[in-house]
Amino acid sequence: MSAYLMLLAPSANHVYAAETATLAAAELAVTSPDLGAAVERRVAGVDYLAFEADDLDPREIAAQSSALALFERESAQVELFGSEPAADVRSTSPSEVLLRPIELPRTDVMDDDLVTIPKYRGKTNELFTRLLLHVTLSQVTTRRGTAPTGHDAPTGGAPARRQFDVLDPLAGRGTTLLTAWTAGHNAYGVELDTSAFEQFAGFLKTYLRRKRLKHTAEVTTVRRDGRMMGQRLDATARPGEQTRGHRAVPDAPQLAMTMFTGDTRDAAVLFGKRKFDAIVTDAPYGVVHGAIDARRAPRENGKRGSAGHPTGHRPGGDRDRSPATLLADAIPVWAGQLRAGGALGLSWNTYGLSREDLAAICTDAGLEVRDDGPWLQFAHRVDSSIKRDLMVAVKPARLVS
């Protein structure tokens, strides 16, 4: 069995940086359960995540949200692995360790600046968004998530690139949608705040044009019975096609995106019969202004109160410090939009809603919650009023989507 050290990517957010190793270990355990348990390791003053594997596929590591580089470890004197808990950080003299770099293949189909360029108060950490998307998609078993066989199978031993349809029903200014595109998936969203919608649409159009990608992007008005109901963004991008200013990404699929303005509980009405492989979203945190009664709620509450972008409420209503009512209303709608074998990935503030209560909401909606082992290791502090956790729940494959 070979031993490896994964160098973790730095985070601009110092709070998140302090939690990166713990979160990365949990992500690795969830998405690559065949690997040995990961532990923190410090070599020559640099922190790594250490693990063992019999037959490592570098593509598994390249897909990790915090992976920056990978090394195979050869130790001259000391065996570094044991039964110590992952939180135990051990330091090793550089004279005892030899590191052989292993090339990590490119897994993204879009440049990472698609996600990092937008800057605004309350934006969800990009690394965490990538983590949430990754762990959610790892649980998807829909037909689209099954590697092709026969004539559709890839050649040369390379695994098929799996492309999923991902919905964020509380899309805000699109961090999840852009992260899904970066990873090669189709992205769909719903956002009530027309200002956030317009800023997102404007950024995406400008980005695609400046990158000289072959693309389409159009905002249209949604009308019913002659009345304007909202706006709709439809966009495509073809990163696998060469242009004068863009180098083609090998095997990159065409990407599709649709985003509506509207209430998240109307997501099924907006998208009609369309189903999704995954629903990935960051729920309102219920801070500062407080969440609002979900049945009559204004857009005053954001993910960080006044500092965050607001999501998913109707006008009017009384204040409620918890997003529980909104999620109780919305999760059954979202569950109905999942394909059989699809997964819901949700992050939220545990100070406003307990894990047990959220799990009950998901279970009542017919979803199976992942609620043991490494799934219980993702909770982390964002600030004094926000302790963020994530939950993934799967629509059983036996159900008809």
Side-chain angles (χ1 to χ4, degrees):
M1 183 173 288
S2 300
Y4 299 91
L5 294 174
M6 183 174 81
L7 182 63
L8 301 177
S11 173
N13 184 309
H14 73 280
V15 175
Y16 190 84
E19 305 283 355
T20 297
T22 300
L23 295 173
E27 179 185 6
L28 197 65
V30 164
T31 59
S32 300
D34 293 336
L35 301 182
V39 296
E40 295 178 54
R41 172 80 68 251
R42 181 169 295 129
V43 178
V46 178
D47 293 328
Y48 299 85
L49 202 62
F51 58 90
E52 294 180 331
D54 284 322
D55 186 19
L56 179 69
D57 184 349
R59 284 171 289 240
E60 290 186 60
I61 306 305
Q64 302 298 312
S65 64
S66 297
L68 182 62
L70 179 66
F71 302 90
E72 185 175 4
R73 181 192 62 79
E74 298 178 3
S75 177
Q77 301 177 26
V78 181
E79 175 56 50
L80 301 181
F81 295 89
S83 58
E84 291 85 354
D88 177 34
V89 179
R90 286 163 287 168
S91 181
T92 304
S93 167
S95 63
E96 299 171 339
V97 179
L98 298 177
L99 301 182
R100 181 175 66 86
I102 296 176
E103 182 178 359
L104 295 179
R106 174 172 178 170
T107 59
D108 291 345
V109 303
M110 299 284 279
D111 294 338
D112 61 5
D113 61 359
L114 176 64
V115 180
T116 59
I117 286 176
K119 302 293 184 184
Y120 50 90
R121 297 181 68 189
K123 179 182 179 182
T124 304
N125 183 283
E126 295 103 340
L127 290 179
F128 179 76
T129 301
R130 190 179 182 98
L131 181 151
L132 178 61
L133 177 68
H134 189 209
V135 298
T136 303
L137 294 183
S138 74
Q139 302 304 297
V140 173
T141 58
T142 60
R143 179 174 297 182
R144 291 175 63 90
T146 302
T149 58
H151 295 295
D152 295 327
T155 58
R161 178 184 289 278
R162 298 178 177 181
Q163 186 180 42
F164 298 100
D165 292 336
V166 178
L167 169 68
D168 183 353
L170 299 169
R173 285 177 59 177
T175 301
T176 300
L177 306 187
L178 298 177
T179 301
W181 256 28
T182 301
H185 306 295
N186 297 320
Y188 304 86
V190 177
E191 173 55 39
L192 188 58
D193 186 346
T194 56
S195 176
F197 172 91
E198 291 166 356
Q199 290 178 70
F200 173 74
F203 164 75
L204 185 64
K205 288 180 178 181
T206 301
Y207 180 90
L208 294 173
R209 184 177 65 254
R210 289 181 175 174
K211 285 285 185 174
R212 299 185 181 274
L213 283 156
K214 288 191 176 181
H215 70 279
T216 63
E218 182 181 16
V219 174
T220 57
T221 299
V222 178
R223 297 182 181 276
R224 291 181 185 167
D225 300 324
R227 297 177 56 193
M228 189 181 77
M229 304 300 294
Q231 294 176 284
R232 169 176 177 159
L233 166 68
D234 289 290
T236 64
R238 303 188 291 280
E241 296 186 28
Q242 188 90 7
T243 69
R244 180 172 296 180
H246 168 74
R247 179 178 298 178
V249 178
D251 301 321
Q254 176 169 308
L255 305 173
M257 180 183 296
T258 297
M259 183 177 180
F260 288 98
T261 58
D263 189 286
T264 187
R265 289 155 299 180
D266 296 329
V269 176
L270 293 169
F271 283 103
K273 295 181 179 180
R274 180 182 287 277
K275 302 292 184 179
F276 303 93
D277 300 295
I279 296 175
V280 180
T281 194
D282 189 20
Y285 293 158
V287 180
V288 182
H289 292 299
I292 309 299
D293 178 80
R295 297 192 179 279
R296 301 169 300 168
R299 300 275 314 166
E300 193 172 352
N301 174 55
K303 295 194 176 176
R304 295 179 181 271
S306 59
H309 72 270
T311 47
H313 301 299
R314 290 190 175 101
D318 300 324
R319 296 189 181 279
D320 181 345
R321 296 297 294 182
S322 166
T325 308
L326 169 65
L327 293 177
D329 286 346
I331 287 176
V333 176
W334 301 343
Q337 293 182 276
L338 283 172
R339 294 186 175 109
L344 166 66
L346 173 69
S347 61
W348 85 105
N349 182 12
T350 61
Y351 291 148
L353 178 65
S354 71
R355 185 176 186 88
E356 293 75 14
D357 288 343
L358 180 58
I361 294 172
C362 292
T363 301
D364 290 345
L367 304 177
E368 297 178 351
V369 177
R370 300 292 189 253
D371 209 24
D372 58 1
W375 292 106
L376 302 178
Q377 298 172 12
F378 289 107
H380 59 284
R381 186 180 70 85
V382 175
D383 59 33
S384 60
S385 58
I386 300 172
K387 184 178 181 182
R388 182 167 56 195
D389 200 355
L390 69 81
M391 179 173 290
V392 172
V394 176
K395 187 171 185 176
R398 65 178 177 272
L399 297 181
V400 177
S401 76

